[in-house]
Amino acid sequence: RLDQSVVLLLVFLPWAGHAHSSFLSLIPNSVNVDGVASIGHANKKGGGELSSFGIDFLSNGKIWDVALCMRDSDGDGQYNGLELGDPCCEWNGSAPPPVVQRKFSHPGDAASTVQTKYVSTLYDADWRALVLKASSIERRRLVNMRGVSCEPLPPLEAGVAPDLQNAKKEDPKPTSAAEGILKKILHPYTNKKLATTLAWTGYVAVMWQRRRELGKMLRLRNKEEPIGDIGPRDLAVALWISLLY
C-alpha cells in the first residue's frame, strides 16, 4: 500500500516541469510573492519537495476554492486567501484578482506572513470553519470584522513607493498666516464649533438681557436706581460661558 506522500509525489511529477506556465495561473497572486518563484515547492526557486501549500493544492484537485482559500496550509495563523490577497475567497480564476493589498506572503512557509490589523490568532480554525459555511455576503462581513478589507485599492500613483500608496495625505501647509486662518474658518469642524459658539452666545446674551430688564422693572417699582444696559464686559462673559459648551 503506497504512502499518501508517495502518491502525492507521483501525482505532482507532471507539474514539476511546467508549474510557472500552468498551475500558478490557477492561484491568485502566486507570482507576486516577493522572493518566491513557486509557492508549490519548499524550495522558493522551484523544484524538489512540495511545500505544505503545494500538497494542499494537489489534494484539493488543483482548484482554488473557498475550502483551499480558508485553509491555513503552513500553520502560521493566516489562511491561504489572506496571504495571497483573496481574503474573502471570491477569486474564480476568470480574471486577474482585484488588488486588495500590496504585499503577499508564502502560504506554504510559516515564517512568511502578511501584516494585518489584528493578531493572527483571530483567524483560528473555529473562525475559519464558520466562514467556510457562510454565504459570500456573510463571509465578507466576517472577514471585515477581523480587520481585513475586501474592497479593491486605488491604482498605484506613478513615482510613489508602494509602501506609501495608502498613507494618509496631509493637507498642504498654508503659504501665509491669513490663508491659514481662512482655512481654519472654512474647515467643517471649525464651522460647526463656531456656529455652536455663536448660538450659545446669542442665547446667553438674550437671557442676560431679559434678566436685566426684569431687574429694571423691580428696581423702578421699588424706586431704586436702574442698572445700565449690557456692555462689552457682559458680552465677553457671555462668550466665555458659551465656550464652556
Side-chain angles (χ1 to χ4, degrees):
R1 187 176 179 178
L2 292 176
D3 185 79
Q4 182 181 5
S5 60
V6 176
V7 174
L8 289 173
L9 180 60
L10 292 176
V11 173
F12 173 71
L13 286 176
W15 183 29
H18 56 279
H20 295 282
S21 60
S22 58
F23 289 98
L24 290 181
S25 64
L26 304 177
I27 305 168
N29 296 303
S30 57
V31 296
N32 295 327
V33 181
D34 290 341
V36 180
S38 178
I39 59 177
H41 295 271
N43 183 354
K44 296 179 181 180
K45 296 182 179 179
E49 184 181 354
L50 288 174
S51 67
S52 55
F53 175 77
I55 294 175
D56 285 345
F57 178 67
L58 290 177
S59 299
N60 200 53
K62 294 173 286 190
I63 298 174
W64 179 264
D65 56 9
V66 180
L68 180 61
C69 177
M70 291 308 303
R71 188 175 300 171
D72 182 11
S73 294
D74 53 13
D76 60 2
Q78 296 187 348
Y79 59 98
N80 298 332
L82 179 62
E83 297 201 63
L84 291 174
D86 185 22
C88 288
C89 304
E90 297 174 333
W91 186 69
N92 56 14
S94 60
V99 180
V100 299
Q101 62 196 54
R102 304 295 187 199
K103 295 290 186 178
F104 312 98
S105 58
H106 194 326
D109 181 3
S112 176
T113 57
V114 294
Q115 184 177 1
T116 57
K117 185 176 181 180
Y118 301 120
V119 294
S120 296
T121 51
L122 290 176
Y123 315 109
D124 57 17
D126 292 338
W127 178 80
R128 287 186 280 111
L130 179 64
V131 177
L132 190 60
K133 299 177 182 178
S135 64
S136 58
I137 297 177
E138 182 67 11
R139 191 184 311 135
R140 269 185 167 248
R141 187 185 70 83
L142 291 171
V143 171
N144 289 338
M145 289 175 62
R146 288 295 191 263
V148 180
S149 174
C150 300
E151 297 299 323
L153 295 174
L156 290 172
E157 296 182 20
V160 180
D163 293 341
L164 302 178
Q165 291 288 337
N166 300 326
K168 182 179 179 182
K169 295 183 179 180
E170 297 182 356
D171 295 332
K173 294 182 179 180
T175 56
S176 63
E179 184 181 346
I181 295 174
L182 181 62
K183 190 172 184 179
K184 289 183 178 180
I185 293 176
L186 296 179
H187 193 278
Y189 174 79
T190 305
N191 290 342
K192 184 177 180 180
K193 182 67 175 177
L194 182 60
T196 303
T197 301
L198 293 176
W200 273 106
T201 301
Y203 172 77
V204 173
V206 170
M207 296 304 295
W208 202 302
Q209 180 66 32
R210 292 181 63 181
R211 182 178 178 184
R212 285 298 184 97
E213 293 293 338
L214 180 60
K216 284 182 181 182
M217 293 174 61
L218 293 176
R219 288 177 178 276
L220 289 173
R221 188 182 67 177
N222 297 331
K223 297 181 180 180
E224 298 178 5
E225 182 179 352
I227 301 176
D229 294 331
I230 294 179
R233 181 178 179 183
D234 299 317
L235 290 176
V237 173
L239 177 61
W240 179 79
I241 293 175
S242 68
L243 290 175
L244 296 178
Y245 294 92

